[in-house]
Amino acid sequence: MQPDTRVRIKSTKEIGYVVMEDEDGMLCIRIPSDNNWPFPHYAFINRRDVVLVRVAKKPDLSDVEEVPF
């Protein structure tokens, strides 16, 4: 898995980002803090215990009119 890939941990439902993967399939995942603490925490999780999270597609705004001012 590539670094900075967005994943969800199956057991805790937390979303994090892959830092690195070792040869045994263990992932080091950086999980951003949700309580205004400026530092993330890290978890070491087996690859089969995470799910890849896709980024939502941006809405099509081509039919929105331009602002008149």
Side-chain angles (χ1 to χ4, degrees):
M1 205 170 273
Q2 296 294 324
D4 293 327
T5 301
R6 192 172 180 196
V7 294
R8 181 183 313 116
I9 301 171
K10 289 180 183 178
S11 61
T12 63
K13 307 294 188 228
E14 292 179 300
I15 293 179
Y17 301 89
V18 175
V19 176
M20 60 181 259
E21 180 178 8
D22 68 2
E23 61 275 352
D24 296 331
M26 291 294 286
L27 300 173
C28 176
I29 300 174
R30 180 180 69 247
I31 303 169
S33 176
D34 58 353
N35 59 1
N36 294 330
W37 181 250
F39 306 107
H41 65 278
Y42 293 85
F44 294 91
I45 307 288
N46 199 322
R47 186 176 181 155
R48 67 176 178 254
D49 296 329
V50 298
V51 176
L52 184 65
V53 176
R54 299 278 182 195
V55 178
K57 292 183 179 180
K58 295 181 181 178
D60 182 23
L61 300 176
S62 61
D63 62 336
V64 177
E65 294 181 23
E66 190 173 324
V67 181
F69 49 87

